[in-house]
Amino acid sequence: MSAETHNPVDAADAADGGVTPFGPDNPAPFIEPPRARTKRTPRATRTNFEMYGWLFMRLSGIVLVVLVLGHLLIQLVLDGGVSKIGFAFVAGRWANPFWQLWDLAMLWLAMLHGANGLRTVINDYAERDVTRTWLKWLLYAATVFTVLLGTLVIFTFDPNIQ
Amino acid sequence: MSTTTVESKHSAALDAAETGDAHLITVTLRVRRFNPEVSDQVVWVDYEMQMDPKERVLDALHKIKWELDGTLTFRRSCAHGICGSDAMRINGRNRLACKTLLKDINPEKPITVEPIKGLTVLKDLVVDMEPFFQAFRDVMPFLVTKGNEPTRERLQSAEDRARFDDTTKCILCAACTSSCPVFWNDGQYFGPAAIVNAHRFIFDSRDEAGEQRLEILNDRDGVWRCRTTFNCTDACPRGIEVTKAIQEVKRALLTRRF
């Protein structure tokens, strides 16, 4: 896209002069926007996936505000702040099933919330179908890996590990 | 009322104003031009002219077309904000050229005029509206009823009519849809205008296909792609609260399920 500014005379010169291969019988290609809607655009998918995704974002967002702010408060502010955090502190907290559940809920909700957000970002911005598919599979793989690894650590944490 | 009576009332000041051009100002229109029969490149062309600041951008475009450069191509039909043909991006915002006064958009600086975004530019300010109208057709923008046709009007209470009054104002100019960043990147999204026109029938007490339209808009490319950026509401030349209409469709979809 040329952002030059011409006066009308210059524009006419630029348009007519030079050796442009384009003419009435041989017009230049149009600049098409990405993925225009046509008659063949797929019809309704008949699932409520997008609706549940949208709803999940709102509900998990509300819960995450409490979970994450509470987490930050406990970890960084109360009881001497960040300096108290160590292996012993984590071991002590995870001895209590309440904190295990807190951290598990935070892990799952934050990961799914973030993954769903990134999914919509990819849907909005990746123009080519191939790029879109690959980015989404990469995202899903990373999400599943992180969620599974985190869950495993929370439940199999051994405070007596050497 | 005869012409002579009118003319006899002319004051000296009015005569001066009519003959003189003291009220005219110099306006520069910077138009984004594209002609595939000449070049595959887009050029910005400046046109300078004397205009009354109370005239509209469409008048300036007419002056270019009729007096300066006849090759400039743009759509307009009624020129009074009803037909919705002349939506364009003026100073970076979607507006109707026939409803935008020069004095309201700072005529001291060059006024940029571009075609609306997200649709294929065919020539200069003319875009291919087909994808836009396809989305409009896909939401079934017509009354659907069952049973025999009544022998008289389908009556409706004033309250029922008021429920969807806002969305009846749409003139299908595409200013909202082509201001939507989701639509810029993915033309498969229905876009605000199609949802507004679905809203107009979903909330019409006489219509019986609301469920079907909601199902269509529950799609991957339906209302859930709206990011509530309010670009559509800002762009609408009829002042329709577009984002609100989209949110009402979302709410109807949720309350239908839960």
Side-chain angles (χ1 to χ4, degrees):
Chain A
M1 188 189 356
S2 153
E4 291 168 69
T5 313
H6 301 261
N7 63 43
V9 183
D10 279 351
D13 282 351
D16 300 334
V19 273
T20 60
F22 306 109
D25 300 323
N26 181 28
F30 293 125
I31 306 154
E32 308 261 355
R35 292 178 287 170
R37 174 174 286 267
T38 63
K39 280 203 173 88
R40 292 184 307 281
T41 294
R43 284 299 115 101
T45 39
R46 304 267 159 199
T47 69
N48 290 319
F49 181 75
E50 292 294 333
M51 183 182 76
Y52 289 127
W54 187 89
L55 200 61
F56 172 76
M57 289 307 266
R58 268 90 201 141
L59 298 179
S60 63
I62 295 168
V63 180
L64 277 170
V65 166
V66 179
L67 290 180
V68 172
L69 288 184
H71 178 82
L72 288 177
L73 194 71
I74 292 162
Q75 301 280 314
L76 306 180
V77 181
L78 300 179
D79 259 349
V82 72
S83 56
K84 67 170 184 284
I85 296 179
F87 185 85
F89 178 76
V90 175
R93 249 162 60 98
W94 275 353
N96 185 340
F98 174 78
W99 293 117
Q100 272 190 330
L101 267 180
W102 180 297
D103 280 2
L104 188 74
M106 197 162 66
L107 170 77
W108 276 73
L109 289 180
M111 282 309 292
L112 293 181
H113 187 95
N116 193 30
L118 272 175
R119 183 183 69 88
T120 58
V121 170
I122 293 169
N123 277 341
D124 281 358
Y125 286 103
E127 280 182 18
R128 285 167 50 216
D129 285 342
V130 184
T131 322
R132 238 209 271 218
T133 315
W134 274 104
L135 282 176
K136 277 201 262 189
W137 278 114
L138 207 67
L139 171 71
Y140 297 154
T143 309
V144 168
F145 176 77
T146 315
V147 166
L148 288 185
L149 185 68
T151 312
L152 190 76
V153 169
I154 289 175
F155 283 124
T156 62
F157 179 74
D158 179 7
N160 304 316
I161 197 168
Q162 288 308 307
Chain B
M1 189 178 70
S2 71
T3 334
T4 42
T5 4
V6 175
E7 273 179 353
S8 68
K9 282 182 179 172
H10 271 192
S11 66
L14 188 57
D15 282 342
E18 275 182 358
T19 51
D21 52 4
H23 60 297
L24 296 185
I25 56 163
T26 307
V27 175
T28 306
L29 233 63
R30 184 165 289 172
V31 185
R32 188 174 194 258
R33 302 203 51 184
F34 170 70
N35 183 354
E37 295 186 356
V38 171
S39 167
D40 58 350
Q41 294 296 311
V42 165
V43 283
W44 288 88
V45 185
D46 277 8
Y47 297 96
E48 213 176 272
M49 67 205 97
Q50 297 293 312
M51 296 292 291
D52 185 329
K54 294 189 291 299
E55 285 185 287
R56 305 160 300 170
V57 174
L58 183 65
D59 298 315
L61 288 171
H62 276 152
K63 203 175 172 79
I64 297 172
K65 174 94 178 158
W66 295 339
E67 293 169 26
L68 300 174
D69 184 352
T71 63
L72 180 70
T73 309
F74 56 92
R75 281 200 186 102
R76 71 101 173 83
S77 186
C78 77
H80 289 85
I82 300 298
C83 71
S85 307
D86 64 349
M88 45 191 80
R89 207 168 149 83
I90 299 165
N91 274 359
R93 249 190 74 183
N94 284 1
R95 314 168 206 243
L96 293 184
C98 58
K99 281 184 87 173
T100 309
L101 299 187
L102 291 169
K103 70 182 176 68
D104 293 338
I105 49 171
N106 188 14
E108 277 143 41
K109 285 188 190 167
I111 297 165
T112 61
V113 180
E114 304 163 66
I116 46 179
K117 283 175 73 169
L119 295 160
T120 307
V121 178
L122 300 179
K123 191 185 173 193
D124 294 344
L125 302 174
V126 175
V127 297
D128 178 15
M129 297 279 278
E130 191 44 37
F132 172 79
F133 287 124
Q134 185 61 49
F136 175 60
R137 282 192 289 267
D138 285 349
V139 298
M140 308 195 298
F142 38 78
L143 187 78
V144 180
T145 55
K146 290 189 221 63
N148 293 331
E149 234 166 77
T151 50
R152 48 190 220 120
E153 309 94 306
R154 298 173 195 275
L155 289 180
Q156 184 172 45
S157 71
E159 295 78 56
D160 282 348
R161 176 61 178 73
R163 179 68 192 84
F164 60 93
D165 183 63
D166 201 32
T167 43
T168 59
K169 298 177 196 159
C170 179
I171 55 173
L172 291 172
C173 65
C176 57
T177 294
S178 62
S179 73
C180 174
V182 177
F183 183 79
W184 293 339
N185 283 298
D186 188 352
Q188 306 268 309
Y189 173 45
F190 275 95
I195 299 171
V196 158
N197 284 281
H199 177 285
R200 184 247 170 274
F201 286 99
I202 289 169
F203 294 98
D204 187 337
S205 61
R206 298 164 297 186
D207 188 85
E208 288 168 47
E211 183 70 16
Q212 232 175 310
R213 290 193 191 88
L214 283 174
E215 196 54 61
I216 293 170
L217 291 178
N218 196 23
D219 190 27
R220 190 164 51 87
D221 298 310
V223 285
W224 306 114
R225 295 207 70 177
C226 169
R227 307 275 172 264
T228 56
T229 57
F230 283 88
N231 277 20
C232 46
T233 304
D234 288 343
C236 181
R238 305 302 307 265
I240 301 172
E241 293 176 288
V242 184
T243 314
K244 187 181 170 197
I246 300 176
Q247 295 300 90
E248 282 176 357
V249 174
K250 282 183 192 170
R251 180 178 296 171
L253 272 164
L254 284 174
T255 49
R256 189 179 66 139
R257 289 275 177 268
F258 303 105

